Amino acid sequence: MFTRYRDIVPVARDSVAFSSESGGDREGGGTMIEDLPRSVGVGSVINMMDDPRHRALRRLVAPGITHARIAALEPVLADAARSAVDQAVRRGHGDLVSDIAAELPLLAIASLLGIPPQDRHQIFAWINAVLDYADRQLGETSQTSAQAMQQFMAYGHRFVEARRQAPGEDVISLAVTGELNDGLGRLSAVEQLMVFNVVMVAGLETTRNAIAGGVRAFIQHPEQWTRLQNQRSLIDPALEEILRWTSPTPYNRRTATRDVEIGGRLIRRGEKVTLWWASANRDEAIFEQPFAFDIGRPANPHLAFGSGGHGCLGAQLSRLEMRVVLNALLERVEGFDLAGDTEWVRSNKHTGIRRMPVRYSEASSQSARHGAVTGATEGRF
Ligand code: HEM
């Protein structure tokens, strides 16, 4: 286990000595990708591939997740966030996860991929069933979750096929029609399906947990909410602090391809190492007062999105989602309280919140007048 920032970064950056493919990212983690037969997952999924194929695949799909494509989603996502927050605040209380935090990531990914609106909730139900850790013992796959997995994969298969027939400019179309650089040919049918799978799954639970965990942090540190209400320009540093604080993906894994010394310890060829982003994000050598939730940190080089060649492809999209939700909450909510126990997801793969009952107190129109700060107008997210 690498837990220090200064040990984690060089390991994450050295994808030759530390492979994501050999042995895969995780085992028995109980997520959709790890629930696949190992022969399908490892080496076919972007986060479990090594260069040069990994780098070529990133280059192939990157034009589907450009800044401009993400910026174009902002009005739709901002509307959805306002309407979800409006309904929740009118009710006065409710489960923040299902009312607000779960909706946005689903809409964002579905819009990015061009998934028809009528299919979205079905897909979400499948993904929830697959990820339902309450329904199983650790390391097991329940029947419900196995069935949902099959149905989700079958849908993905049909979706990929439809893109092959009528390609657009989205990530999946690029994956099915494009050629990899450096004479590496086309993606196999399994690799194409895995692009669909990983984009759908990687962005849903992580961002949901960042949003729910962020609201929880503000509930526990109400002075930071007041500070943000009074100084909306802190929204960007606030997003970064939420990411640092929640660390929705606590760790990823690599396998050493040769003997290598890190931080005075010899890692032998074939040994597996885990990179604890969540721990690096609380490293006192890097962050002053790491256990303080402080939205005004002048520098915040957190590793919530990883580091190096496998760094998160969806970072800008999730920042946008978090931003529109925060803006919508700032417009309507003076403060919040927990209205019951928070239920956590039993997982070491996600810092996940399943349910979080929240009571809202409505903002007066005066505090709403500051207006939202948008990424588009500032040219960044
Ligand atoms: C707050 C939300 C998110 C968090 C905390 C997060 C975290 C991470 C981390 C830590 C990695 C590095 C994995 C490694 O080094 O092995 C990663 C990779 C990745 N993420 Fe995210 N992610 C988030 C949102 C998203 C979204 C919205 C998408 C999809 C659009 C996405 C797609 C990916 C993909 C495809 C990779 C693999 C990249 C590669 O292996 O080259 N993520 N993410």
Side-chain angles (χ1 to χ4, degrees):
M1 289 171 69
F2 286 116
T3 54
R4 283 187 302 208
Y5 196 102
R6 69 163 186 263
D7 295 334
I8 290 176
V9 170
V11 174
R13 293 200 176 152
D14 189 348
S15 56
V16 175
F18 292 99
S19 164
S20 292
E21 181 166 329
S22 145
D25 177 47
R26 292 189 187 84
E27 286 156 311
T31 71
M32 307 190 83
I33 295 164
E34 287 90 27
D35 284 345
L36 291 171
R38 294 187 54 70
S39 55
V40 174
V42 175
S44 315
V45 188
I46 189 165
N47 66 317
M48 290 188 261
M49 267 183 188
D50 286 339
D51 293 342
R53 201 165 181 79
H54 162 259
R55 197 178 324 125
L57 174 52
R58 263 184 93 107
R59 206 172 295 154
L60 179 66
V61 296
I65 323 182
T66 55
H67 197 84
R69 285 187 71 87
I70 290 169
L73 299 177
E74 180 162 5
V76 176
L77 297 184
D79 263 2
R82 270 195 294 269
S83 125
V85 166
D86 185 57
Q87 282 178 34
V89 172
R90 274 169 203 271
R91 260 198 316 273
H93 61 89
D95 171 24
L96 182 119
V97 177
S98 52
D99 291 346
I100 298 172
E103 273 299 309
L104 260 280
L106 178 66
L107 179 66
I109 298 282
S111 312
L112 189 75
L113 295 185
I115 290 177
Q118 66 272 18
D119 295 350
R120 292 175 185 175
H121 280 94
Q122 175 61 74
I123 291 181
F124 199 39
W126 288 328
I127 291 175
N128 272 337
V130 172
L131 297 173
D132 190 359
Y133 299 93
D135 189 36
R136 60 166 93 175
Q137 293 302 308
L138 284 180
E140 280 181 10
T141 306
S142 76
Q143 215 183 349
T144 327
S145 108
Q147 251 171 20
M149 179 70 190
Q150 268 172 10
Q151 287 168 315
F152 174 75
M153 295 298 278
Y155 181 94
H157 199 75
R158 291 196 298 277
F159 188 80
V160 168
E161 209 36 59
R163 284 290 185 271
R164 202 189 319 281
Q165 303 297 330
E169 286 167 6
D170 56 280
V171 180
I172 306 304
S173 299
L174 294 168
V176 292
T177 58
E179 288 258 349
L180 297 170
N181 273 2
D182 303 328
L184 292 171
R186 287 174 173 277
L187 294 181
S188 69
V190 170
E191 286 171 330
Q192 293 170 7
L193 182 58
M194 288 304 108
V195 173
F196 173 81
N197 188 317
V198 82
V199 172
M200 280 303 303
V201 177
L204 287 184
E205 221 190 342
T206 46
T207 317
R208 178 204 314 184
N209 290 329
I211 294 171
V215 171
R216 191 177 154 83
F218 280 118
I219 291 175
Q220 291 174 328
H221 303 87
E223 79 292 346
Q224 297 294 317
W225 186 247
T226 309
R227 190 177 172 196
L228 185 57
Q229 273 171 330
N230 293 334
Q231 204 182 339
R232 297 280 180 98
S233 60
L234 284 179
I235 195 148
D236 280 338
L239 297 183
E240 301 311 315
E241 182 65 348
I242 289 172
L243 287 159
R244 182 188 78 85
W245 187 255
T246 57
S247 298
T249 301
Y251 76 98
N252 287 102
R253 194 179 77 172
R254 305 286 189 265
T255 303
T257 59
R258 57 178 169 80
D259 290 2
V260 47
E261 197 182 299
I262 301 282
R265 297 294 292 266
L266 178 66
I267 311 296
R268 291 185 194 283
R269 175 165 184 247
E271 283 181 345
K272 296 180 191 315
V273 296
T274 45
L275 313 182
W276 286 86
W277 318 118
S279 169
N281 287 345
R282 299 278 198 287
D283 188 336
E284 63 279 9
I286 305 290
F287 300 99
E288 223 170 274
Q289 300 204 351
F291 289 91
F293 178 68
D294 174 3
I295 62 167
R297 283 182 187 277
N300 196 341
H302 65 76
L303 301 181
F305 291 123
S307 175
H310 284 277
C312 183
L313 266 175
Q316 299 315 318
L317 180 59
S318 30
R319 285 190 171 108
L320 170 61
E321 294 170 45
M322 291 167 67
R323 168 195 286 280
V324 296
V325 170
L326 271 193
N327 270 332
L329 287 167
L330 284 164
E331 279 170 31
R332 294 296 311 273
V333 177
E334 182 78 35
F336 356 57
D337 282 313
L338 290 177
D341 290 340
T342 300
E343 238 179 82
W344 294 88
V345 172
R346 191 167 64 144
S347 162
N348 74 352
K349 153 133 199 179
H350 290 284
T351 313
I353 297 181
R354 179 194 299 282
R355 223 173 72 83
M356 188 170 79
V358 168
R359 217 179 350 258
Y360 306 90
S361 50
E362 215 171 327
S364 67
S365 49
Q366 204 189 21
S367 55
R369 92 192 126 98
H370 296 283
V373 180
T374 71
T377 50
E378 292 182 359
R380 63 179 197 277
F381 297 100

